[in-house]
Amino acid sequence: MDMCMMAGSDTEFKATLATSTGNRKIELVLCPIMQNIAVILFAVNYFTWTSAVFDSQRQSVHKKLRYLLEPPVYAEVTARRGANVTLPCLLQKKPLVYKVKWTKLEPLRRGVENIVLITNGQAQKGYGLLGPRASLRRAHPLDASVRISNLELEDDGSYRCELINGIEDESVVLTLRVEGLVFPYQSANGRYKFNHQEAKEACYGQDAALATHKQLFRAWTEGLDWCNAGWLNDGTVHYPILHPRAQCGGEKLPAGIRSYGPKDKTRDYFDAFCFTSITAGYVFFIGGKLNFTEAIEVCREKGAELARVGQLYSAWHFRGLDRCDGGWLYDGSVRFPITSPRKRCGDLREPGVRSFGFPNKTLRLHGAYCYR
């Protein structure tokens, strides 16, 4: 006998339940007595199903590698520009037939892999811009580590070592961090004058590259505090704040990386955050009251050229260049580097590279920072 009839009621209750995937809807037409029983049964089955799904996902995330070792010792490798670096990738054992493919993971080119090198254990072949500088270490028969020589700023990023045997492909991901520093850069024409491509070219012209978000975040943790928003390499716009204040988004907002998010790369204009590292040459100062043209000439007489902004920052950060005197730079700006703040150097409280902006190039007021 129907349980609803036993209850003496022909009242129906309609309930619609949806699964968490696929938006599938199940409509239940229930009498009051059956309502609670059905909901309980549905709930038990639903949570059993979701638990099975999540367990399966956990197993796939933590899948034990059969051939490759997890990144040995460290998953991040740090080196300076110009150095040679090894990204480790080791096999536990070899399949009968296999290939190992190294790729640089490019967040700016979603879905596109930049292949660096492929090997079958015997021969190897390099690809793309990194290929000519990449080679296998071959320390032993199970070593698939890749060496990159003469490290460049753009080499910073994530790399994948992938073993391919047609049946059980495996991969590990490592991070290569180029040691360096981030500095804000503004056009000689004033604040917020660069679109994304112009910002990229401006950094390149100062011996630097547009910074990544990770590089800006690290710079913030190391003390970078700057009100003006600037482009990053992925087309987003940010600025780092350590000391919240009214003119920098408000005093009530917490310290951190303030974000404008992705902006139109051709129509929106901001400053730039540039990233540089140690240089092969060195920066030196020539005193005197020089205009811009005379500064170019005195550097040339010493077998050098006016230093780029990135080169001055590098000399300050990596070589401890400390000078109270303002000097001309290649871009027409006048700056000076301070590692030991003191009263007679503007009474500045923190180390850094200070700027006088872009003065009239005909004024004979400054020395010159040369790079050789």
Side-chain angles (χ1 to χ4, degrees):
M1 181 181 292
D2 185 86
M3 294 187 67
C4 291
M5 293 176 63
M6 289 176 61
S9 172
D10 59 356
T11 303
E12 293 181 342
F13 176 83
K14 291 187 177 182
T16 301
L17 302 175
T19 64
S20 64
T21 59
N23 294 323
R24 296 175 57 193
K25 293 184 178 180
I26 302 173
E27 187 177 81
L28 305 178
V29 181
L30 306 169
C31 66
I33 293 177
M34 293 296 294
Q35 165 189 340
N36 293 333
I37 297 174
V39 170
I40 291 171
L41 291 173
F42 184 88
V44 170
N45 289 328
Y46 174 74
F47 287 115
T48 301
W49 172 78
T50 53
S51 297
V53 170
F54 293 145
D55 286 341
S56 174
Q57 290 176 345
R58 282 195 293 269
Q59 290 173 5
S60 64
V61 170
H62 299 290
K63 176 184 176 182
K64 183 175 177 62
L65 297 178
R66 182 178 177 186
Y67 296 108
L68 294 177
L69 288 175
E70 293 289 347
V73 185
Y74 38 73
E76 180 175 284
V77 179
T78 302
R80 293 180 177 181
R81 175 170 56 178
N84 300 330
V85 67
T86 298
L87 301 180
C89 184
L90 303 176
L91 281 66
Q92 304 179 65
K93 60 180 180 179
K94 290 183 177 182
L96 292 177
V97 179
Y98 73 97
K99 291 182 180 179
V100 170
K101 178 172 70 171
W102 277 97
T103 59
K104 186 174 189 293
L105 306 180
E106 289 286 353
L108 301 185
R109 303 177 184 176
R110 298 189 183 280
V112 177
E113 292 182 334
N114 286 324
I115 300 175
V116 176
L117 181 145
I118 295 179
T119 179
N120 61 2
Q122 303 297 324
Q124 66 182 56
K125 184 176 180 180
Y127 295 85
L129 296 176
L130 267 171
R133 294 186 287 119
S135 62
L136 290 174
R137 181 172 63 178
R138 296 185 184 277
H140 51 77
L142 296 177
D143 187 13
S145 305
V146 68
R147 280 178 170 167
I148 301 176
S149 62
N150 192 23
L151 206 60
E152 298 179 359
L153 296 176
E154 293 79 5
D155 296 339
D156 185 282
S158 297
Y159 291 77
R160 179 170 61 212
C161 174
E162 183 178 11
L163 182 140
I164 304 169
N165 70 352
I167 300 175
E168 297 178 280
D169 297 348
E170 300 177 349
S171 66
V172 294
V173 175
L174 301 95
T175 298
L176 171 58
R177 184 171 71 86
V178 177
E179 185 179 352
L181 73 156
V182 173
F183 62 92
Y185 190 72
Q186 193 173 86
S187 167
N189 297 321
R191 180 173 177 261
Y192 294 176
K193 297 296 183 182
F194 299 133
N195 63 26
H196 185 261
Q197 181 62 30
E198 290 166 345
K200 185 177 181 179
E201 293 171 356
C203 289
Y204 181 78
Q206 299 310 313
D207 192 43
L210 266 181
T212 66
H213 189 274
K214 284 185 178 181
Q215 290 166 345
L216 182 65
F217 183 84
R218 184 180 294 273
W220 171 72
T221 66
E222 294 172 350
L224 182 60
D225 181 281
W226 197 256
C227 263
N228 292 349
W231 289 105
L232 296 183
N233 72 334
D234 62 356
T236 59
V237 175
H238 307 264
Y239 63 101
I241 293 296
L242 278 173
H243 309 292
R245 46 206 186 272
Q247 66 271 32
C248 298
E251 298 177 355
K252 295 183 179 180
L253 289 176
I257 305 294
R258 308 277 173 80
S259 176
Y260 288 11
K263 306 300 289 185
D264 190 294
K265 292 183 179 180
T266 58
R267 292 182 293 184
D268 289 328
Y269 290 80
F270 296 94
D271 292 342
F273 285 105
C274 304
F275 174 79
T276 193
S277 184
I278 195 167
T279 62
Y282 65 96
V283 174
F284 59 95
F285 179 76
I286 297 179
K289 293 186 176 181
L290 310 169
N291 62 30
F292 182 69
T293 302
E294 291 168 338
I296 293 175
E297 186 57 34
V298 297
C299 287
R300 185 177 294 134
E301 290 173 356
K302 299 293 184 180
E305 65 175 8
L306 279 176
R308 317 283 174 134
V309 176
Q311 292 165 346
L312 184 66
Y313 269 93
S314 177
W316 162 73
H317 182 80
F318 290 105
R319 305 189 190 279
L321 183 61
D322 183 281
R323 189 91 196 186
C324 278
D325 306 286
W328 291 103
L329 295 179
Y330 185 89
D331 66 342
S333 65
V334 173
R335 306 172 194 253
F336 65 99
I338 292 295
T339 57
S340 301
R342 47 207 183 271
K343 287 187 177 181
R344 66 184 183 88
C345 292
D347 198 21
L348 301 172
R349 296 182 179 181
E350 297 178 354
V353 175
R354 310 306 181 199
S355 175
F356 290 116
F358 296 84
N360 189 314
K361 291 182 177 180
T362 63
L363 297 178
R364 302 176 64 182
L365 296 176
H366 307 287
Y369 285 100
C370 306
Y371 177 79
R372 181 171 58 203

